[in-house]
Every structure is written in C-alpha cells, then in structure tokens.
Amino acid sequence: DIVMTQSPDSLAVSLGERATINCKSSQSVLHRSNNKNYLGWYKQKPGQPPKLLISWASTRESGVPERISGSGSGTDFTLTISSLQAEDVAVYYCQQYYSSPLTFGGGTMVEIK
Amino acid sequence: QVQLQESGPGLVKPSQTLSLTCTVSGGSVNSGSFYWSWVRQPAGKGLEWIGRVSTNGRTNYISSLKSRVTISLDTSKNQFSLKLTSVTAADTAVYYCAREPEGDYADYWGQGTLVTVSS
C-alpha cells in the first residue's frame, strides 16, 4: 500500500499570509504512460464531508479560488494557500489514487494566528 | 447535479453486521466509468478509504478489512451498499459514500452517517 505522509499536522497563519502543506508518498504516483500525478487534495470543515479542491496534483476544481494551488510531482507535493482567508480554516487531506487501496494523508489543520 | 445520501442504522451491536446504503440521484450507478466507494472517519481522526465497486461490479477493498467487507450495487434502486461483519468498537465512525470517476479522486460525497458500535 502507498503511505501518504503530510506535514505539518497543524499550522497557524495570519490572515492574508501564505499557508503551505506538504504531502509525501512512499512511492511515486506519477503514471509514466500519461505523465499524470494521481494525487488529489481535499478540504474538510467540521461536520461536513471532504470537498475536492485539486486533482492530478495541480488541477483546480471548478469554483476553487485561485489563491489555492497544488504543485509537485512523483513523491513530493504541496498545497499552497497564497493569502489565507477566514473561510480557509479547515483540515486538508492529500490522497493518492495511483493504486488500490486508495490512501489519504493524516491531515493538516489550518487555523488563523 | 449528482447527489449521494447514506442511510442505515446508527447503532450496531458488537459482533453483528453493519449495513449501509447509499442512494444516488442525478445519475445512474450503472452508467459511465465510475466507481462507487465508501470512506470512514472515526471521531477526531483522519479519513480511511474502505473500498469501492465499479459500474460492472468489480470490487477493491482495503487489506485490513477485506475479510469482513462487501460492497455491492443495486442497479434497480440506483443504490450501492456496504456490509461490514463482526464489528467492534473500532468500527465506530462516520461513514461516507462517494463517487470516483474512473476510479480516481472522489468528486461527489454524501453527507455522512455516524455508526456507533455498542451494546
């Protein structure tokens, strides 16, 4: 199984400042046949289901603000919130869908400093 | 707009079988290249992918639950279901159903249902 490791577990950022979340996979999730990274990012607020933010490591879903972006390839990935807003307070998860079983990172809680 | 809704008992006794159903609206469970999956989340903890079923009935499960879990489609009711046998307190969690296009990321989720295992 592919193990997904996120860091940090939590971070507190001032409004308007940058938040950066890291995700590392135990093996590459880059499919050579199509050059796609099988990596997604989700946002979860208390009492709500996860919401897909980013697919294919860097493709923003419809309606996701441009301040949220994904980057990385192979085994190392980053979710960046360029200018933190109050509505960004949540837990963020990465997930690999390269191979079954699909696996999630442990989550990163983002709070306002 | 696709919508998913979980249903089933909120309380299950230890050693019994947990049974949940996910009703899909706004789309058909047996059309397109979709997988229909279950994910659970114990209180205050992270997400655990349990398994999935494809539109043609193929299944994948997480290894740790493989001996106890069955996920299946009911195309006549446009639903899919989760059965987990021999439950213990460790199976207490919010259970989510979700849709995975071509077995990739989950783009639509149900609201989740809390299942508590207790006598």
Side-chain angles (χ1 to χ4, degrees), chain A residues 1 38 42 44 47-52 55-56 61 93 95 97 100-106, chain B residues 39 41 45-49 52 60-63 96 100 103-107 109-112:
Chain A
D1 298 0
Y38 283 57
Y42 300 83
Q44 187 180 34
Q48 296 184 15
K51 174 189 173 185
L52 179 68
S55 58
W56 309 113
E61 293 301 299
Y93 295 93
Q95 182 203 35
Y97 43 94
S100 177
L102 280 62
T103 46
F104 290 92
Chain B
V39 175
Q41 185 173 38
K45 296 190 177 180
L47 301 165
E48 180 179 51
W49 185 87
R52 63 189 178 188
N60 300 113
Y61 302 124
I62 191 171
S63 305
Y96 295 100
E100 299 173 359
D104 298 323
Y105 47 82
D107 60 351
W109 295 70
Q111 285 300 305

Short mmCIF file of all heavy atoms in Angstrom, two decimals, chain A residues 1 38 42 44 47-52 55-56 61 93 95 97 100-106, chain B residues 39 41 45-49 52 60-63 96 100 103-107 109-112:
data_model
loop_
_atom_site.label_atom_id
_atom_site.label_comp_id
_atom_site.label_asym_id
_atom_site.label_seq_id
_atom_site.Cartn_x
_atom_site.Cartn_y
_atom_site.Cartn_z
N ASP A 1 0.84 -1.19 0.00
CA ASP A 1 0.00 0.00 0.00
C ASP A 1 0.89 1.26 0.00
O ASP A 1 1.95 1.27 0.61
CB ASP A 1 -0.90 0.03 1.24
CG ASP A 1 -1.87 -1.14 1.31
OD1 ASP A 1 -1.83 -1.99 0.37
OD2 ASP A 1 -2.64 -1.20 2.27
N TYR A 38 -1.22 11.03 -9.83
CA TYR A 38 -2.51 10.60 -9.33
C TYR A 38 -2.66 11.03 -7.86
O TYR A 38 -2.68 10.21 -6.93
CB TYR A 38 -2.65 9.09 -9.49
CG TYR A 38 -2.95 8.69 -10.92
CD1 TYR A 38 -2.11 9.05 -11.96
CD2 TYR A 38 -4.09 7.95 -11.22
CE1 TYR A 38 -2.39 8.70 -13.27
CE2 TYR A 38 -4.40 7.58 -12.53
CZ TYR A 38 -3.54 7.97 -13.55
OH TYR A 38 -3.82 7.62 -14.85
N TYR A 42 -8.08 17.56 -0.64
CA TYR A 42 -9.44 17.78 -0.15
C TYR A 42 -9.40 18.74 1.03
O TYR A 42 -8.43 18.77 1.78
CB TYR A 42 -10.09 16.47 0.31
CG TYR A 42 -10.21 15.42 -0.76
CD1 TYR A 42 -9.13 14.59 -1.07
CD2 TYR A 42 -11.40 15.24 -1.45
CE1 TYR A 42 -9.24 13.62 -2.04
CE2 TYR A 42 -11.52 14.27 -2.43
CZ TYR A 42 -10.43 13.47 -2.72
OH TYR A 42 -10.54 12.50 -3.69
N GLN A 44 -11.80 19.76 4.44
CA GLN A 44 -12.92 19.31 5.26
C GLN A 44 -13.13 20.26 6.43
O GLN A 44 -12.22 20.49 7.22
CB GLN A 44 -12.69 17.89 5.78
CG GLN A 44 -13.91 17.33 6.49
CD GLN A 44 -13.72 15.92 7.02
OE1 GLN A 44 -12.62 15.55 7.43
NE2 GLN A 44 -14.79 15.13 7.01
N GLY A 47 -18.06 18.68 10.67
CA GLY A 47 -19.43 18.28 10.39
C GLY A 47 -19.78 18.18 8.93
O GLY A 47 -20.95 17.96 8.60
N GLN A 48 -18.80 18.34 8.05
CA GLN A 48 -19.05 18.29 6.61
C GLN A 48 -18.21 17.19 5.96
O GLN A 48 -17.17 16.80 6.50
CB GLN A 48 -18.70 19.63 5.97
CG GLN A 48 -19.57 20.79 6.42
CD GLN A 48 -19.24 22.07 5.68
OE1 GLN A 48 -18.58 22.06 4.64
NE2 GLN A 48 -19.72 23.19 6.20
N PRO A 49 -18.66 16.72 4.80
CA PRO A 49 -17.83 15.76 4.08
C PRO A 49 -16.64 16.48 3.46
O PRO A 49 -16.65 17.71 3.31
CB PRO A 49 -18.76 15.23 2.98
CG PRO A 49 -19.74 16.34 2.76
CD PRO A 49 -19.93 16.99 4.10
N PRO A 50 -15.61 15.74 3.08
CA PRO A 50 -14.49 16.35 2.36
C PRO A 50 -14.97 16.94 1.04
O PRO A 50 -15.93 16.45 0.43
CB PRO A 50 -13.53 15.18 2.13
CG PRO A 50 -13.90 14.17 3.17
CD PRO A 50 -15.38 14.32 3.35
N LYS A 51 -14.27 17.98 0.62
CA LYS A 51 -14.56 18.61 -0.66
C LYS A 51 -13.29 18.57 -1.51
O LYS A 51 -12.22 18.98 -1.05
CB LYS A 51 -14.98 20.07 -0.44
CG LYS A 51 -15.17 20.85 -1.73
CD LYS A 51 -15.38 22.33 -1.45
CE LYS A 51 -15.39 23.14 -2.73
NZ LYS A 51 -15.48 24.58 -2.50
N LEU A 52 -13.43 18.09 -2.73
CA LEU A 52 -12.28 18.02 -3.63
C LEU A 52 -11.87 19.42 -4.07
O LEU A 52 -12.68 20.19 -4.57
CB LEU A 52 -12.63 17.18 -4.85
CG LEU A 52 -11.54 17.01 -5.91
CD1 LEU A 52 -10.38 16.18 -5.36
CD2 LEU A 52 -12.11 16.37 -7.17
N SER A 55 -7.23 18.08 -8.30
CA SER A 55 -6.98 16.73 -8.82
C SER A 55 -5.73 16.77 -9.69
O SER A 55 -5.27 17.85 -10.09
CB SER A 55 -8.19 16.23 -9.62
OG SER A 55 -8.46 17.12 -10.69
N TRP A 56 -5.19 15.59 -9.96
CA TRP A 56 -3.98 15.49 -10.80
C TRP A 56 -2.87 16.42 -10.30
O TRP A 56 -2.13 17.00 -11.11
CB TRP A 56 -4.32 15.74 -12.26
CG TRP A 56 -5.47 14.90 -12.74
CD1 TRP A 56 -6.70 15.35 -13.11
CD2 TRP A 56 -5.52 13.48 -12.83
NE1 TRP A 56 -7.51 14.30 -13.45
CE2 TRP A 56 -6.81 13.12 -13.29
CE3 TRP A 56 -4.59 12.45 -12.57
CZ2 TRP A 56 -7.20 11.81 -13.49
CZ3 TRP A 56 -4.98 11.14 -12.77
CH2 TRP A 56 -6.27 10.84 -13.23
N GLU A 61 -10.34 22.43 -9.08
CA GLU A 61 -11.72 22.12 -9.40
C GLU A 61 -12.50 23.42 -9.62
O GLU A 61 -12.11 24.50 -9.14
CB GLU A 61 -12.36 21.31 -8.29
CG GLU A 61 -11.76 19.92 -8.14
CD GLU A 61 -11.88 19.07 -9.40
OE1 GLU A 61 -13.02 18.81 -9.84
OE2 GLU A 61 -10.83 18.71 -9.95
N TYR A 93 -6.52 17.29 3.39
CA TYR A 93 -6.01 15.93 3.19
C TYR A 93 -5.50 15.77 1.75
O TYR A 93 -6.13 16.23 0.80
CB TYR A 93 -7.11 14.89 3.39
CG TYR A 93 -7.65 14.80 4.79
CD1 TYR A 93 -8.77 15.53 5.18
CD2 TYR A 93 -7.06 13.96 5.74
CE1 TYR A 93 -9.28 15.45 6.47
CE2 TYR A 93 -7.57 13.86 7.03
CZ TYR A 93 -8.67 14.61 7.38
OH TYR A 93 -9.17 14.51 8.66
N GLN A 95 -4.56 12.71 -1.07
CA GLN A 95 -4.96 11.33 -1.36
C GLN A 95 -4.30 10.88 -2.65
O GLN A 95 -4.28 11.63 -3.63
CB GLN A 95 -6.47 11.22 -1.53
CG GLN A 95 -6.97 9.80 -1.79
CD GLN A 95 -8.33 9.76 -2.49
OE1 GLN A 95 -8.63 10.59 -3.34
NE2 GLN A 95 -9.15 8.78 -2.14
N TYR A 97 -4.52 8.23 -5.76
CA TYR A 97 -5.42 7.29 -6.44
C TYR A 97 -4.66 6.56 -7.56
O TYR A 97 -5.25 6.09 -8.53
CB TYR A 97 -6.68 7.99 -6.96
CG TYR A 97 -6.48 9.33 -7.64
CD1 TYR A 97 -6.34 9.41 -9.01
CD2 TYR A 97 -6.49 10.50 -6.90
CE1 TYR A 97 -6.19 10.64 -9.64
CE2 TYR A 97 -6.33 11.74 -7.52
CZ TYR A 97 -6.18 11.80 -8.88
OH TYR A 97 -6.03 13.03 -9.51
N SER A 100 -4.85 0.87 -5.88
CA SER A 100 -5.72 0.44 -4.81
C SER A 100 -4.91 -0.35 -3.78
O SER A 100 -4.06 -1.15 -4.15
CB SER A 100 -6.83 -0.45 -5.37
OG SER A 100 -7.66 -0.94 -4.35
N PRO A 101 -5.16 -0.13 -2.47
CA PRO A 101 -6.19 0.75 -1.92
C PRO A 101 -5.80 2.22 -2.00
O PRO A 101 -4.63 2.58 -1.81
CB PRO A 101 -6.27 0.31 -0.46
CG PRO A 101 -4.88 -0.15 -0.15
CD PRO A 101 -4.39 -0.81 -1.40
N LEU A 102 -6.79 3.06 -2.30
CA LEU A 102 -6.54 4.49 -2.25
C LEU A 102 -6.22 4.87 -0.81
O LEU A 102 -6.79 4.30 0.13
CB LEU A 102 -7.77 5.26 -2.75
CG LEU A 102 -7.93 5.35 -4.28
CD1 LEU A 102 -8.09 3.99 -4.92
CD2 LEU A 102 -9.13 6.24 -4.62
N THR A 103 -5.31 5.80 -0.63
CA THR A 103 -4.89 6.15 0.72
C THR A 103 -4.80 7.67 0.88
O THR A 103 -4.44 8.39 -0.05
CB THR A 103 -3.53 5.52 1.06
OG1 THR A 103 -2.62 5.72 -0.04
CG2 THR A 103 -3.66 4.03 1.33
N PHE A 104 -5.13 8.09 2.11
CA PHE A 104 -5.11 9.50 2.46
C PHE A 104 -3.92 9.80 3.37
O PHE A 104 -3.46 8.94 4.13
CB PHE A 104 -6.37 9.87 3.24
CG PHE A 104 -7.64 9.86 2.44
CD1 PHE A 104 -8.42 8.70 2.39
CD2 PHE A 104 -8.07 10.98 1.76
CE1 PHE A 104 -9.59 8.68 1.66
CE2 PHE A 104 -9.25 10.98 1.03
CZ PHE A 104 -10.02 9.82 0.98
N GLY A 105 -3.47 11.04 3.32
CA GLY A 105 -2.55 11.53 4.34
C GLY A 105 -3.31 11.72 5.64
O GLY A 105 -4.54 11.66 5.68
N GLY A 106 -2.57 11.98 6.71
CA GLY A 106 -3.17 12.10 8.02
C GLY A 106 -3.93 13.39 8.26
O GLY A 106 -4.63 13.52 9.26
N VAL B 39 -15.89 5.54 2.47
CA VAL B 39 -14.78 6.09 3.26
C VAL B 39 -15.30 6.30 4.68
O VAL B 39 -16.45 6.70 4.85
CB VAL B 39 -14.31 7.45 2.68
CG1 VAL B 39 -13.24 8.09 3.56
CG2 VAL B 39 -13.78 7.26 1.25
N GLN B 41 -14.49 7.72 8.89
CA GLN B 41 -13.71 8.66 9.68
C GLN B 41 -14.11 8.56 11.15
O GLN B 41 -15.16 9.06 11.56
CB GLN B 41 -13.95 10.09 9.17
CG GLN B 41 -13.10 11.15 9.85
CD GLN B 41 -13.25 12.51 9.17
OE1 GLN B 41 -14.33 12.89 8.73
NE2 GLN B 41 -12.14 13.23 9.07
N LYS B 45 -10.48 11.90 13.94
CA LYS B 45 -9.36 11.28 13.24
C LYS B 45 -9.46 11.51 11.73
O LYS B 45 -10.34 12.22 11.26
CB LYS B 45 -9.31 9.78 13.56
CG LYS B 45 -9.03 9.51 15.03
CD LYS B 45 -8.74 8.05 15.28
CE LYS B 45 -8.40 7.80 16.74
NZ LYS B 45 -8.10 6.38 17.02
N GLY B 46 -8.56 10.89 10.99
CA GLY B 46 -8.48 11.10 9.56
C GLY B 46 -9.39 10.18 8.77
O GLY B 46 -10.17 9.41 9.32
N LEU B 47 -9.27 10.29 7.45
CA LEU B 47 -10.10 9.56 6.52
C LEU B 47 -9.48 8.21 6.18
O LEU B 47 -8.27 8.11 5.96
CB LEU B 47 -10.27 10.37 5.23
CG LEU B 47 -10.89 11.76 5.40
CD1 LEU B 47 -10.67 12.60 4.15
CD2 LEU B 47 -12.37 11.64 5.70
N GLU B 48 -10.33 7.18 6.12
CA GLU B 48 -9.88 5.84 5.74
C GLU B 48 -10.75 5.35 4.60
O GLU B 48 -11.96 5.18 4.75
CB GLU B 48 -9.93 4.87 6.91
CG GLU B 48 -9.46 3.47 6.53
CD GLU B 48 -9.48 2.50 7.69
OE1 GLU B 48 -10.53 2.41 8.38
OE2 GLU B 48 -8.46 1.83 7.92
N TRP B 49 -10.13 5.10 3.46
CA TRP B 49 -10.84 4.53 2.30
C TRP B 49 -11.10 3.06 2.58
O TRP B 49 -10.17 2.31 2.93
CB TRP B 49 -9.96 4.71 1.08
CG TRP B 49 -10.52 4.31 -0.23
CD1 TRP B 49 -11.28 5.07 -1.08
CD2 TRP B 49 -10.32 3.07 -0.91
NE1 TRP B 49 -11.55 4.37 -2.23
CE2 TRP B 49 -10.97 3.13 -2.15
CE3 TRP B 49 -9.63 1.88 -0.59
CZ2 TRP B 49 -10.99 2.09 -3.07
CZ3 TRP B 49 -9.63 0.84 -1.51
CH2 TRP B 49 -10.30 0.95 -2.73
N ARG B 52 -14.50 -0.03 -2.89
CA ARG B 52 -15.35 0.51 -3.94
C ARG B 52 -15.86 -0.60 -4.85
O ARG B 52 -15.31 -1.72 -4.84
CB ARG B 52 -14.56 1.51 -4.78
CG ARG B 52 -13.37 0.89 -5.51
CD ARG B 52 -12.50 1.95 -6.15
NE ARG B 52 -11.33 1.37 -6.80
CZ ARG B 52 -10.35 2.07 -7.31
NH1 ARG B 52 -10.38 3.41 -7.25
NH2 ARG B 52 -9.32 1.48 -7.89
N ASN B 60 -12.80 -3.45 -5.09
CA ASN B 60 -11.49 -3.33 -4.45
C ASN B 60 -11.73 -3.00 -3.00
O ASN B 60 -12.62 -2.19 -2.70
CB ASN B 60 -10.65 -2.19 -5.08
CG ASN B 60 -10.38 -2.37 -6.54
OD1 ASN B 60 -10.86 -1.59 -7.36
ND2 ASN B 60 -9.60 -3.37 -6.89
N TYR B 61 -10.92 -3.58 -2.09
CA TYR B 61 -11.08 -3.33 -0.67
C TYR B 61 -9.73 -3.06 -0.03
O TYR B 61 -8.69 -3.55 -0.49
CB TYR B 61 -11.71 -4.53 0.03
CG TYR B 61 -13.06 -4.94 -0.50
CD1 TYR B 61 -13.27 -6.24 -0.95
CD2 TYR B 61 -14.12 -4.05 -0.54
CE1 TYR B 61 -14.51 -6.64 -1.43
CE2 TYR B 61 -15.36 -4.43 -1.03
CZ TYR B 61 -15.55 -5.73 -1.47
OH TYR B 61 -16.78 -6.12 -1.96
N ILE B 62 -9.76 -2.33 1.08
CA ILE B 62 -8.55 -2.16 1.87
C ILE B 62 -8.20 -3.50 2.52
O ILE B 62 -9.08 -4.24 2.94
CB ILE B 62 -8.74 -1.05 2.92
CG1 ILE B 62 -7.41 -0.68 3.56
CG2 ILE B 62 -9.77 -1.42 3.96
CD1 ILE B 62 -7.51 0.56 4.44
N SER B 63 -6.93 -3.81 2.58
CA SER B 63 -6.49 -5.14 3.06
C SER B 63 -6.97 -5.44 4.47
O SER B 63 -7.39 -6.56 4.77
CB SER B 63 -4.97 -5.22 3.01
OG SER B 63 -4.49 -4.92 1.74
N TYR B 96 -18.92 7.66 4.94
CA TYR B 96 -19.27 8.45 3.77
C TYR B 96 -19.32 7.55 2.53
O TYR B 96 -18.47 6.66 2.38
CB TYR B 96 -18.22 9.53 3.48
CG TYR B 96 -18.07 10.59 4.53
CD1 TYR B 96 -17.03 10.55 5.46
CD2 TYR B 96 -18.93 11.69 4.56
CE1 TYR B 96 -16.86 11.55 6.40
CE2 TYR B 96 -18.77 12.70 5.51
CZ TYR B 96 -17.73 12.61 6.42
OH TYR B 96 -17.57 13.60 7.36
N GLU B 100 -16.21 8.01 -7.62
CA GLU B 100 -14.86 8.16 -8.17
C GLU B 100 -14.92 7.99 -9.68
O GLU B 100 -15.12 6.88 -10.17
CB GLU B 100 -13.92 7.11 -7.59
CG GLU B 100 -13.73 7.16 -6.09
CD GLU B 100 -12.92 5.97 -5.59
OE1 GLU B 100 -12.53 5.11 -6.41
OE2 GLU B 100 -12.68 5.90 -4.37
N GLY B 103 -12.35 5.53 -11.13
CA GLY B 103 -11.56 5.06 -10.00
C GLY B 103 -10.47 6.01 -9.57
O GLY B 103 -9.48 5.60 -8.95
N ASP B 104 -10.67 7.27 -9.85
CA ASP B 104 -9.69 8.28 -9.47
C ASP B 104 -10.13 8.98 -8.17
O ASP B 104 -10.61 8.34 -7.27
CB ASP B 104 -9.47 9.25 -10.61
CG ASP B 104 -8.92 8.57 -11.86
OD1 ASP B 104 -8.08 7.66 -11.69
OD2 ASP B 104 -9.32 8.94 -12.98
N TYR B 105 -10.01 10.28 -8.12
CA TYR B 105 -10.39 11.08 -6.95
C TYR B 105 -11.90 10.97 -6.73
O TYR B 105 -12.65 10.58 -7.63
CB TYR B 105 -10.00 12.55 -7.19
CG TYR B 105 -10.44 13.03 -8.55
CD1 TYR B 105 -11.73 13.45 -8.78
CD2 TYR B 105 -9.55 13.02 -9.63
CE1 TYR B 105 -12.14 13.85 -10.03
CE2 TYR B 105 -9.94 13.43 -10.89
CZ TYR B 105 -11.25 13.83 -11.08
OH TYR B 105 -11.64 14.23 -12.32
N ALA B 106 -12.34 11.36 -5.53
CA ALA B 106 -13.77 11.36 -5.22
C ALA B 106 -14.33 12.75 -5.45
O ALA B 106 -13.96 13.70 -4.74
CB ALA B 106 -14.00 10.94 -3.78
N ASP B 107 -15.23 12.88 -6.43
CA ASP B 107 -15.72 14.21 -6.77
C ASP B 107 -17.06 14.54 -6.12
O ASP B 107 -17.38 15.71 -5.95
CB ASP B 107 -15.78 14.39 -8.30
CG ASP B 107 -16.70 13.40 -9.00
OD1 ASP B 107 -17.17 12.45 -8.35
OD2 ASP B 107 -16.91 13.59 -10.21
N TRP B 109 -19.63 13.48 -2.73
CA TRP B 109 -19.68 12.78 -1.44
C TRP B 109 -21.08 12.90 -0.85
O TRP B 109 -21.77 13.91 -1.05
CB TRP B 109 -18.71 13.42 -0.46
CG TRP B 109 -17.26 13.31 -0.80
CD1 TRP B 109 -16.59 13.94 -1.82
CD2 TRP B 109 -16.28 12.53 -0.11
NE1 TRP B 109 -15.26 13.60 -1.80
CE2 TRP B 109 -15.04 12.74 -0.75
CE3 TRP B 109 -16.31 11.69 1.00
CZ2 TRP B 109 -13.86 12.12 -0.33
CZ3 TRP B 109 -15.14 11.09 1.43
CH2 TRP B 109 -13.93 11.31 0.77
N GLY B 110 -21.47 11.88 -0.08
CA GLY B 110 -22.64 12.03 0.75
C GLY B 110 -22.31 12.86 1.98
O GLY B 110 -21.14 13.18 2.21
N GLN B 111 -23.32 13.17 2.76
CA GLN B 111 -23.13 13.98 3.96
C GLN B 111 -22.52 13.19 5.11
O GLN B 111 -22.00 13.79 6.05
CB GLN B 111 -24.45 14.60 4.41
CG GLN B 111 -24.90 15.75 3.54
CD GLN B 111 -23.89 16.89 3.54
OE1 GLN B 111 -23.49 17.42 4.57
NE2 GLN B 111 -23.44 17.29 2.34
N GLY B 112 -22.57 11.88 5.01
CA GLY B 112 -22.00 11.04 6.05
C GLY B 112 -23.05 10.60 7.06
O GLY B 112 -24.02 11.31 7.32
#
